[in-house]
Amino acid sequence: MHKIKEEIKIEEIELKVLNLEGMIEFYEQILGFKVIKESNEYAILGSNKNPFLKLLRDEKSIKEEFNSVGLYHVAYLLPTRKDLAIMLKHLLEKEATIEGFADHLVSEAIYLRDIEGNGIEIYCDKPRNEWIRIGNKIAMSTEPLDIEGLLKLANEEFKGISDETRIGHVHLKVSSLSRTENFTQKLWV
């Protein structure tokens, strides 16, 4: 079992976009991100405390086919299950197109795409003492999300993305598993 180096964190991702204004509107209105800095060529978004998304205008940007290499999704980690519940209620009120829900045994997740097709996971971790351990491995699965139970926690209005939100992980689509494994060896202790 590998352990990732503590100092490795994904603080910000950068996306090349065709429609900068539309993407800013999506991330503000649908996900509750705040615009931290903006120009005609880029925008930096995040929470009040943390910038974690940079959008770069690139009118030559070509959106690849879904099964091509590149970004599969960015996963934004919310601090609590209640934050996830409030986000879910907000997404339903905004009639956002949600692609899926999952209980992964270690986390609960909502999946969607931005207006240019970039995958997004909004999730919260379950308490680590609830994770099922089998030897030195942690059990994970894709089970149905308890949407009703989650919505019962959504007793507050959505006020935007939580200040404690951060990028939890990214999933990539790769063309060579062995080259990717060689590259990622540098990340492990």
Side-chain angles (χ1 to χ4, degrees), residues 153-171:
L153 296 175
N155 57 3
E156 294 177 23
E157 289 301 310
F158 182 73
K159 296 179 181 126
I161 198 81
S162 167
D163 282 340
E164 285 73 43
T165 300
R166 63 182 179 83
I167 297 173
H169 63 272
V170 295
H171 284 181

Side-chain angles (χ1 to χ4, degrees), residues 103-171:
D103 179 335
H104 293 299
L105 304 181
V106 297
S107 64
E108 295 176 292
I110 304 166
Y111 297 92
L112 61 155
R113 293 193 176 281
D114 67 25
I115 63 169
E116 293 196 4
N118 298 297
I120 300 166
E121 176 183 351
I122 304 289
Y123 77 107
C124 68
D125 281 337
K126 291 184 176 186
R128 288 182 182 234
N129 63 354
E130 293 179 12
W131 292 7
I132 301 166
R133 297 176 190 279
I134 304 165
N136 65 352
K137 299 190 187 244
I138 297 170
M140 294 184 70
S141 183
T142 301
E143 303 296 329
L145 181 64
D146 178 10
I147 295 170
E148 279 185 37
L150 201 55
L151 288 173
K152 287 178 185 175
L153 296 175
N155 57 3
E156 294 177 23
E157 289 301 310
F158 182 73
K159 296 179 181 126
I161 198 81
S162 167
D163 282 340
E164 285 73 43
T165 300
R166 63 182 179 83
I167 297 173
H169 63 272
V170 295
H171 284 181

Side-chain angles (χ1 to χ4, degrees), residues 57-71:
R57 183 188 308 275
D58 184 355
E59 293 172 359
K60 296 177 184 173
S61 177
I62 298 170
K63 291 301 166 188
E64 301 294 331
E65 295 295 320
F66 179 74
N67 60 356
S68 66
V69 298
L71 180 68

Side-chain angles (χ1 to χ4, degrees), residues 26 30-31 84-102 109-114 118-122 145 147 150-151:
F26 172 86
I30 303 301
L31 297 182
L84 186 66
I86 293 167
M87 175 64 81
L88 175 57
K89 180 181 171 197
H90 169 73
L91 292 172
L92 294 172
E93 288 170 353
K94 287 288 188 178
E95 298 181 356
T97 303
I98 298 172
E99 291 189 341
F101 303 96
I110 304 166
Y111 297 92
L112 61 155
R113 293 193 176 281
D114 67 25
N118 298 297
I120 300 166
E121 176 183 351
I122 304 289
L145 181 64
I147 295 170
L150 201 55
L151 288 173

